[in-house]
Amino acid sequence: TSFNDDENFMVAGRFASLLAGNATGPKSLRVAVNGYRSDDTSVSAAADFGFDSTPLTAARDNIFRGSRTGFGVDAQLVAGRSELWAEYLSTSFEPADRIPNRDFTASGWYAQAGYFAIADKLQLVGKYESTDRSDESRGDAVDVYWLGANWYMKSHDIKLQLFYARDDDDGSEGSGRIVARVQTIF
């Protein structure tokens, strides 16, 4: 890479294993664990976190400066036309300026199920995901429900996706949206 926010580099590792079946067969079970550690001076973050590297100015800049440590675990099960996926991620943040807090942990997980209604062409998918900043004072838990389909026009090289997603934030009724996406691999 030719870009880094400071002289420190993130250290990351991942261990994955195929526990059953084979990589290209109709049945397989894969699991993986991963982790990372990073000391940062200027990392862009979502506005939801409330980071501010310039606390003396009026507006928050959503730039994280501090230390991050994270880990995750994921699994994928393929059985014929059916697929089950699940993943859990957790990151501990220690902002250098203690904004929005001295330290906090953000975590999230998802589980999704897919079924090829037309073999290798049309996949129906349902997914539930949940994220939580673990900052009880702000009530930042968000749950999202997805329902949709993937149309594999040319295997995984060209794929059309159409989904309906419903967000349920703590303390609000939530909102729905339609998401369409074309994915290509070159």
Side-chain angles (χ1 to χ4, degrees):
T1 182
S2 62
F3 172 79
N4 192 37
D5 68 330
D6 61 18
E7 68 278 356
N8 299 313
F9 287 95
M10 175 190 298
V11 176
R14 179 174 169 81
F15 175 77
S17 180
L18 178 63
L19 296 181
N22 62 56
T24 59
K27 295 182 182 179
S28 65
L29 174 61
R30 303 166 196 251
V31 296
V33 294
N34 58 72
Y36 76 93
R37 169 87 173 120
S38 182
D39 293 313
D40 306 300
T41 58
S42 180
V43 174
S44 296
D48 300 358
F49 286 104
F51 294 131
D52 191 4
S53 67
T54 57
L56 298 178
T57 61
R60 291 184 186 252
D61 59 12
N62 304 317
I63 301 294
F64 175 74
R65 189 170 51 90
S67 298
R68 297 178 292 155
T69 304
F71 75 92
V73 61
D74 60 89
Q76 300 87 35
L77 172 67
V78 176
R81 292 183 175 196
S82 300
E83 295 182 1
L84 294 174
W85 294 55
E87 181 174 22
Y88 174 81
L89 299 169
S90 179
T91 298
S92 295
F93 293 88
E94 295 179 29
D97 57 14
R98 299 179 180 219
I99 296 174
N101 292 321
R102 192 180 120 196
D103 58 18
F104 65 93
T105 300
S107 62
W109 67 275
Y110 78 86
Q112 84 178 25
Y115 178 76
F116 277 97
I118 302 173
D120 300 323
K121 286 292 181 189
L122 178 63
Q123 182 184 40
L124 305 176
V125 179
K127 179 178 181 181
Y128 170 79
E129 63 185 65
S130 181
T131 58
D132 188 357
R133 276 225 10 241
S134 296
D135 180 359
E136 292 81 13
S137 65
R138 291 184 53 183
D140 291 329
V142 178
D143 298 323
V144 183
Y145 305 87
W146 297 83
L147 190 58
N150 296 316
W151 180 260
Y152 293 84
M153 300 166 80
K154 185 178 178 189
S155 186
H156 285 275
D157 293 344
I158 302 174
K159 177 171 44 175
L160 175 63
Q161 300 173 304
L162 183 62
F163 287 86
Y164 174 75
R166 174 140 183 102
D167 301 5
D168 289 329
D169 297 349
D170 279 353
S172 70
E173 291 184 23
S175 61
R177 66 185 181 277
I178 294 176
V179 178
R181 178 171 119 174
V182 174
Q183 180 175 317
T184 62
I185 296 175
F186 296 95

